[in-house]
Amino acid sequence: QRKHRPGFPHTMAAIASLQVNALFGKKAPAKAAPAKKATLKKAAPVKKSAPVKKTVTKKAPARKAAGAGRKGNIGPNRTLWNGWDSKAEAPAYLDGTLPGDAGFDPAGLSKPVEYLQFGLDSLDQNGVINASGNVIGKLKKVDNKPTERTIVPFNEAFDIVRFRECELQHSRWAMLGLVGVIAAEKSTGISWADAGKVLNEQPSYLGFDINVPLKSLVLIEVLAMGFAEVKRSSELDSNKRSYPGGYFDPLNFAGKTTSPEALFKLKTAELKHGRLAMVGMLGVAAQATKNGEGALEALFGQ
């Protein structure tokens, strides 16, 4: 008699199961590994981003149409005068920063000069055809300030900086000339067109005879004006070239006590009067050329 062994039937059943699996090519079932306990990882602390600053972009002032609520003589919304076109806009290069700028430039004289850059031509002497160079770029001159101490210190002749200086000089001479024509004709009764003939016979000034030959007077005038022009051209500051101040401002209109706004208005008024004087002097000269009459004679018939 066999002794009863604890667990013996279970052992025999396991051996029989292994033999059956080996016979039919099946693998024994693997013991499942004990499940690991899931460990929760702490998430990394999220860094707070800096608050985004809102940038407010300033819009450029809108350019109003001519006559649509415009006011003043400076800036993009200044009062414009465009001649026959009542709703035209001022050109971009006339932004109202210069005195007397009313946006009127029909001929485009104040437009910045733009140069075309061409490539080199083909210079093959053995070639049947030599192609010409084409446009490869454009060059626009931005700054035209005086750079040399000469009579004409500007690098570009057709520029708004030089044109403004010329306009200012011509307007001042026209104002002086127009006042001189009227005052001389009123005091002497001699037409300004005939003043040179009388002066050639006997030079005089304010009714007093001058015992100096006319040629000497002309030479003195040329030397004096040439010296003044050379001194003015030696100045390289564009503002001082046009508004020297000092002895040329005896009433101190452009002094330190004058505000920039008031000074701008004075400069604008000077240019407006100067433009009228140039037109008036042109009319006086045309009348004298056509009819041989002086200013007062043509105006009042005297």
Side-chain angles (χ1 to χ4, degrees):
Q1 292 182 353
R2 295 179 180 177
K3 295 182 178 179
H4 177 71
R5 297 176 184 176
F8 181 75
H10 297 284
T11 304
M12 294 301 293
I15 293 173
S17 176
L18 290 173
Q19 290 176 352
V20 172
N21 292 335
L23 181 62
F24 291 98
K26 294 182 179 180
K27 293 182 179 181
K31 294 183 178 181
K36 294 182 180 180
K37 293 183 179 180
T39 57
L40 298 176
K41 294 183 179 181
K42 294 183 179 180
V46 180
K47 294 182 179 180
K48 294 182 179 181
S49 58
V52 180
K53 296 181 179 180
K54 295 181 179 180
T55 56
V56 180
T57 55
K58 296 182 179 180
K59 295 182 179 180
R63 300 171 69 94
K64 298 181 180 179
R70 292 182 172 274
K71 186 178 180 182
N73 297 315
I74 187 173
N77 296 327
R78 68 197 181 281
T79 304
L80 299 180
W81 190 86
N82 288 316
W84 55 87
D85 196 349
S86 60
K87 294 183 179 180
E89 284 290 332
Y93 51 86
L94 296 179
D95 53 3
T97 56
L98 289 176
D101 177 11
F104 182 71
D105 187 20
L109 297 177
S110 302
K111 186 177 181 180
V113 179
E114 189 177 72
Y115 296 95
L116 297 179
Q117 185 178 2
F118 287 83
L120 296 176
D121 298 339
S122 298
L123 299 177
D124 186 6
Q125 60 182 356
N126 297 322
V128 179
I129 298 176
N130 285 324
S132 60
N134 297 324
V135 178
I136 59 176
K138 295 180 180 180
L139 175 63
K140 184 180 291 184
K141 199 169 185 63
V142 179
D143 189 9
N144 191 36
K145 294 181 179 179
T147 56
E148 300 178 1
R149 299 182 184 276
T150 58
I151 297 296
V152 184
F154 299 98
N155 295 326
E156 179 56 54
F158 297 94
D159 187 80
I160 189 172
V161 177
R162 179 177 177 271
F163 283 160
R164 168 43 56 91
E165 184 177 318
C166 293
E167 181 187 26
L168 193 58
Q169 297 297 325
H170 284 80
S171 64
R172 288 168 177 171
W173 280 115
M175 287 188 286
L176 288 174
L178 195 58
V179 172
V181 165
I182 297 175
E185 289 189 357
K186 187 67 176 178
S187 60
T188 62
I190 301 174
S191 170
W192 73 277
D194 298 330
K197 301 175 183 178
V198 177
L199 187 64
N200 192 22
E201 297 175 358
Q202 175 58 53
S204 62
Y205 188 76
L206 295 177
F208 298 96
D209 294 340
I210 302 176
N211 296 322
V212 178
L214 181 60
K215 293 182 180 180
S216 300
L217 291 177
V218 173
L219 180 60
I220 293 173
E221 182 179 357
V222 169
L223 293 177
M225 294 303 300
F227 174 77
E229 189 63 21
V230 169
K231 290 292 290 184
R232 187 183 70 85
S233 298
S234 64
E235 179 61 58
L236 298 181
D237 190 334
S238 297
N239 187 56
K240 290 183 179 180
R241 287 174 62 87
S242 300
Y243 304 97
Y247 296 109
F248 297 95
D249 186 18
L251 299 179
N252 199 25
F253 284 127
K256 296 181 180 180
T257 58
T258 307
S259 64
E261 293 79 9
L263 185 60
F264 191 90
K265 289 182 179 179
L266 290 174
K267 292 179 179 179
T268 303
E270 181 189 24
L271 264 177
K272 287 183 176 180
H273 286 82
R275 289 166 178 170
L276 286 175
M278 285 189 286
V279 174
M281 199 66 207
L282 178 62
V284 169
Q287 188 70 25
T289 304
K290 182 180 180 181
N291 301 326
E293 298 177 347
L296 296 179
E297 184 181 2
L299 187 61
F300 300 107
Q302 298 176 357

